[in-house]
Amino acid sequence: MNGNGKPAFDAGQIAGLDAAFAIVRAVGVPEDKIEDADRRQHLVRGVAAGLHRSRAFLLVAPLLLFLAVTYLVPIGGILFRSVDDSALQTWMPKTAAAFAQWDGAGLPDEDTLAVFAAELGQARKERTIGRVANHLNYRMSGMRSLFNKTGRRLAAGGGPDAAGNWREWLAQLDPRWGRRQVWTIIKAASGRYTQVNYLAALDLRRGDDGGVARQPEGKRIYVKIFLRTLWVSLAVTLFCLLLGFPVAHLMAGLPPRISNWLMIMVLLPFWTSLLVRTTSWIALLQSNGVINGTLVWLGLIGDDERIQMVFNLTGTVVAMIYVLLPFMVLPLYSVMRGIPRSLTRVAVSLGATPLTAFARVYLPQTLVGVGAGSLLVFMLAVGYYITPALVGGQSGQLISNFIFYHIKVSLNWGFASALGVILLAAVLLVYWVYHKLVGIEKMRVA
Amino acid sequence: MAPVCVSFRKVSKNYDQQSWVVDSLNLDVREGEFVTLLGPSGSGKTTCLMMLAGFEEVTSGEILIRGERVNDIPPHKRGLGLVFQNYALFPHMTVAGNLAFPLQVRGMDKAEIRARVDEALEMVHLSGLGARLPAQLSGGQQQRVALARALIFHPTLVLMDEPLGALDKQLREYMQYEIKRLHEQLGLTVIYVTHDQGEALTLSSRVAVFNEGRIQQIDAPDMIYEYPANAFTAGFIGENNLLQGELLETDGDTCAVGAGGGRLRGTPVGVAGGGEVLLAVRPERVLINPDGDCANALDGRVGDLVYLGDYMRAVVELGGGGELIAKYPNDRGKRDIKAGQPVKVGWHAEDCRVFPAPPRTGGKGA
């Protein structure tokens, strides 16, 4: 084709096409309609389009790679970590195997205890005991000190004399070794995977009979926090909608010169650090703050009746509404700007009162924006961390603050991961419901 | 004569206390009339319509519908049919839903609504398309739905704001016919806003020519075309040759004007004494090589010559400066006129209208 023996495209393909056209000719399509040149051109165009597509793909490949590394891998990581229970298997493999055999009735037998004691002393010498001890400490507090104390003695050559046995020696060293619960926890950790993080995240636990039971009253924390996060997010979304709708409506109806100024006002908060804006709410809302000060000065409340508005749930809700409001206004504005004003005019001219025209003609067309804005605000609110952390006090903490606590303070990453996965599942559920009600493809953000 | 349906009495409108968008307008529209408000954009015609519909407030003066002052009646209680340029169909409702809307807000019962919707669809030849969404219709179909929706609650007064502006030429002509048919069939009073003079001349019983917030002239289409009352109308409606000149003398029905290097005779319209005047003569009234009894004759030379099939259009460069456009039928006798050839042009005094020259020249023409 181009002289050096390399055809621009595969000769076999052309031969195949020729055969195909021969059949077409045979069934009576006029031959002059199937021009050879046309066919080749079509093929060249197809190849060119293919090249174009793969080039476009190469251009977005870095982004895909970036997303995969920074988004999918961490999510996979927390999914795995939330069920990972391999510490005992990895660092004390023989113990894990022996406890897997134990039937869980009474206390473990001497052979099992001997294996356990030997490996515990070894782990102490190799300084890997901490990994197992920390892991088990999340299941029951005190396990770390118990393991370290026992390991130290074993590594120093401690053990029962010829007449004695491991059970007595251990019980003498620490009475906790005489309790079945301690051994049950070791047995429970002998597998590779565990549901214990999820059970704990839902305020459940394994009962003594092995069945799932609720935590005792005083230890139920997380379901309450999840529900609080849920209703705070819903309340914030609702208030953002109530406050943002009129603003977006106003902006969409004004001439661009004025609405651009309003848009700048809406976006202005983004120019200031979130930290600064959130802490300024403390200055406004605190007991000696601007609002209480004004109310006292006006004589509306007494000096000893100052209202507690910050470092509690009220503070969290107020500050979150403020921070998330632009995320409601922008999608609403974008949708409302696309709705011609003549539609409400025509509705009124057809005899509808302005209220009816609004409800039956204008409002239904804004629903796409209402959905998009609400979804956006709700999603952001559900995972919001910094605002509740700063102004939430004790009662205003949300689930993300607890996730942070377990990652940064208690270092129980497995449990933090389980909380995160439950949150993710809840968000996906909301997304799915939105998709069923409105349709994701109709989402317009800005 | 039919009773008066709509009347504007000294209606004025301004937005900024300075310039009048509508300037003390007086207009009576009678029952069954088709009155078109025609004018360039910004001339106040749409504002008039919106004041009548109730969407714009009247700054001063009053608007009466069948003798009742409507200045303070909200738009939804005026009961007018209104058709907008961009169709303004409700995109989230089906065609039937759009048509049912005005009836639903009037609390009509369902069976009656269904019957009326079917009837309306039939009226605009869209039977069977009731379940479609507006986006699934062509522009012409959408406009017919908009028309049917404005008529379904049987208003007798219908306002249309450039309803055919968004359609292409062929569809526009078809829709003109449709609107005309509905006007006659339903005995409607229509007030129609457009900047398309062809549309205005075709549809209307009377045309009101707007400029700068005032009605320049209101009359039947042929009267507007044949007897423009001032220089604006002469320049705005149709094509016109406008020549500047000086009034020399007036005697009864004709006057003499010095223009184009000669003494020309025309019909005076509101001129007296002397001063600057504007001569207007239609291209189709400009005669090439006129007979001896023609009042006006000038020497010139054929410049551009455009062949239009049934008509020829020639630009004639006048000996005394300036040029004229002449349009003449494609007769055998005139086939030998060629570009560059010297010719005589002329016109009868009654085909030439002489207006006082406006402070600044508006309109088009030579």
Side-chain angles (χ1 to χ4, degrees), chain A residues 285-370:
Chain A
L285 297 177
Q286 65 189 345
S287 300
N288 296 312
V290 178
I291 292 176
N292 268 318
T294 311
L295 289 176
V296 170
W297 182 73
L298 287 172
L300 292 174
I301 54 171
D303 197 27
D304 50 349
E305 298 171 312
R306 287 171 184 268
I307 307 164
Q308 179 69 31
M309 288 180 288
V310 77
F311 305 124
N312 58 14
L313 202 54
T314 316
T316 299
V317 172
V318 169
M320 275 174 74
I321 290 170
Y322 160 73
V323 171
L324 295 176
L325 192 55
F327 295 100
M328 180 64 86
V329 173
L330 290 179
L332 277 177
Y333 171 66
S334 141
V335 168
M336 286 174 177
R337 210 181 33 181
I339 303 173
R341 290 287 141 141
S342 58
L343 291 184
T344 27
R345 276 197 168 184
V346 98
V348 167
S349 84
L350 292 169
T353 61
L355 197 66
T356 312
F358 178 82
R360 289 206 44 204
V361 174
Y362 189 72
L363 202 59
Q365 295 185 73
T366 64
L367 285 185
V368 179
V370 170

Side-chain angles (χ1 to χ4, degrees), chain B residues 10-39:
Chain B
K10 291 202 158 182
V11 171
S12 296
K13 171 78 184 173
N14 68 13
Y15 292 102
D16 54 3
Q17 317 296 324
Q18 286 173 19
S19 55
W20 294 97
V21 181
V22 175
D23 191 0
S24 68
L25 177 98
N26 288 302
L27 172 65
D28 282 342
V29 177
R30 295 187 176 274
E31 297 283 358
E33 263 196 310
F34 194 120
V35 171
T36 299
L37 314 185
L38 174 69

Side-chain angles (χ1 to χ4, degrees), chain B residues 19-347:
Chain B
S19 55
W20 294 97
V21 181
V22 175
D23 191 0
S24 68
L25 177 98
N26 288 302
L27 172 65
D28 282 342
V29 177
R30 295 187 176 274
E31 297 283 358
E33 263 196 310
F34 194 120
V35 171
T36 299
L37 314 185
L38 174 69
S41 55
S43 58
K45 55 193 191 310
T46 298
T47 309
C48 280
L49 203 71
M50 289 301 133
M51 285 192 290
L52 178 55
F55 293 114
E56 296 275 5
E57 268 185 50
V58 177
T59 309
S60 68
E62 55 182 7
I63 299 177
L64 310 171
I65 298 179
R66 300 194 174 100
E68 189 194 358
R69 186 174 189 270
V70 295
N71 287 37
D72 304 317
I73 295 181
H76 64 275
K77 289 192 181 146
R78 297 197 186 186
L80 312 174
L82 192 54
V83 184
F84 282 95
Q85 172 173 8
N86 52 12
Y87 323 139
L89 297 180
F90 307 135
H92 59 295
M93 296 182 193
T94 60
V95 167
N98 269 278
L99 293 177
F101 183 84
L103 306 178
Q104 285 164 351
V105 299
R106 284 173 170 74
M108 203 175 269
D109 72 80
K110 278 185 180 169
E112 166 110 41
I113 288 177
R114 206 169 307 129
R116 284 259 202 120
V117 167
D118 287 342
E119 183 192 328
L121 282 170
E122 201 175 328
M123 175 179 80
V124 293
H125 312 304
L126 288 174
S127 299
L129 297 185
R132 297 243 189 122
L133 285 172
Q136 294 167 312
L137 300 181
S138 71
Q141 288 173 326
Q142 289 187 44
Q143 190 52 275
R144 277 186 274 160
V145 175
L147 208 56
R149 186 180 60 179
L151 298 175
I152 198 166
F153 56 97
H154 298 174
T156 49
L157 175 57
V158 181
L159 314 182
M160 303 191 188
D161 185 10
E162 308 226 9
L164 309 181
L167 302 180
D168 61 46
K169 188 169 177 290
Q170 224 171 350
L171 212 50
R172 205 154 56 214
E173 277 165 13
Y174 172 71
M175 284 303 294
Q176 284 174 11
Y177 163 78
E178 284 285 306
I179 290 173
K180 189 104 184 147
R181 176 178 71 84
L182 290 170
H183 168 240
E184 280 160 14
Q185 192 177 315
L186 305 175
L188 304 170
T189 306
V190 179
I191 300 182
Y192 189 99
V193 162
T194 184
H195 64 265
D196 180 333
Q197 43 179 294
E199 210 164 278
L201 298 180
T202 313
L203 291 171
S204 323
S205 28
R206 281 195 299 159
V207 177
V209 180
F210 268 69
N211 192 40
E212 293 174 338
R214 290 170 167 275
I215 292 183
Q216 303 291 322
Q217 184 173 2
I218 175 161
D219 216 328
D222 55 334
M223 298 300 279
I224 293 268
Y225 187 86
E226 300 283 343
Y227 305 108
N230 56 32
F232 176 81
T233 313
F236 185 73
I237 303 287
E239 200 176 21
N240 232 330
N241 290 300
L242 296 176
L243 293 176
Q244 275 179 326
E246 199 168 343
L247 186 67
L248 300 177
E249 59 169 15
T250 320
D251 58 76
D253 289 345
T254 63
C255 63
V257 176
R263 187 184 166 92
L264 303 172
R265 297 207 73 83
T267 310
V269 183
V271 290
E276 292 278 298
V277 291
L278 214 54
L279 257 85
V281 56
R282 298 261 178 218
E284 68 269 23
R285 300 286 160 84
V286 174
L287 307 168
I288 303 278
N289 298 329
D291 303 335
D293 64 343
C294 190
N296 303 297
L298 291 168
D299 287 317
R301 198 179 64 89
V302 178
D304 275 339
L305 192 64
V306 182
Y307 180 76
L308 296 171
D310 53 347
Y311 261 84
M312 303 293 286
R313 185 186 146 94
V315 178
V316 179
E317 293 158 4
L318 298 179
E323 53 184 36
L324 280 176
I325 292 165
K327 234 166 128 184
Y328 55 90
N330 189 1
D331 301 340
R332 274 178 212 287
K334 301 224 173 70
R335 288 294 290 274
D336 51 348
I337 297 174
K338 294 280 183 293
Q341 184 184 322
V343 285
K344 266 196 174 341
V345 289
W347 55 87

